[in-house]
Amino acid sequence: QVQLVESGGGLAQAGGSLRLSCTASGRTFSIYAMGWFRQAPGKERAIVAAINWSGGSTYYADSVKGRFTASRDNAKNTAYLQMNNLKPEDTAVYYCNGVRYTDYSPLWDSWGKGTLVTVSS
């Protein structure tokens, strides 16, 4: 069973930056596309970014395009999400999961605890 651990969240001011990390174990990390999802209060969890197995291709939701950057280090079994120019509407719990790169749906039923990002105006 895959274990996912997200970290790096916290409180940031609007316009600030945070870098999230996601460490995966229990799977051969390097063969899977990875995605970042977020869930704001009262809303469903939704994809915000994805990166293919090699890091050579990325996807971003329109709401974060140009501000967020996904990357990965397969040697460390870790994916990253660099978030710049943060906005209050980015406030959410952020999760990672493997993704199907065709439709960015999550691969695994098991989710980590997520990491909370709070952006103040």
Side-chain angles (χ1 to χ4, degrees):
Q1 185 176 357
V2 65
Q3 290 85 40
L4 300 164
V5 179
E6 302 90 353
S7 62
L11 177 64
Q13 291 187 333
S17 298
L18 287 172
R19 189 195 195 202
L20 307 184
S21 298
C22 162
T23 302
S25 60
R27 288 285 191 275
T28 306
F29 177 81
S30 61
I31 69 173
Y32 293 103
M34 294 296 295
W36 286 95
F37 300 78
R38 69 185 180 188
Q39 187 168 20
K43 295 187 177 181
E44 293 187 355
R45 186 156 44 197
I47 185 82
V48 293
I51 185 166
N52 77 335
W53 67 274
S54 69
S57 176
T58 52
Y59 161 81
Y60 300 99
D62 287 344
S63 58
V64 306
K65 201 171 294 183
R67 301 188 297 121
F68 289 11
T69 302
S71 61
R72 64 191 297 159
D73 184 338
N74 287 342
K76 296 182 178 180
N77 285 4
T78 301
Y80 304 98
L81 186 66
Q82 177 68 43
M83 307 187 297
N84 297 329
N85 190 20
L86 284 162
K87 302 178 179 181
E89 52 264 43
D90 294 321
T91 295
V93 179
Y94 285 72
Y95 303 86
C96 64
N97 202 313
V99 291
R100 299 174 181 85
Y101 212 66
T102 50
D103 64 0
Y104 311 112
S105 59
L107 271 177
W108 304 311
D109 293 334
S110 176
W111 293 83
K113 294 182 179 180
T115 187
L116 176 63
V117 172
T118 304
V119 183
S120 63
S121 57

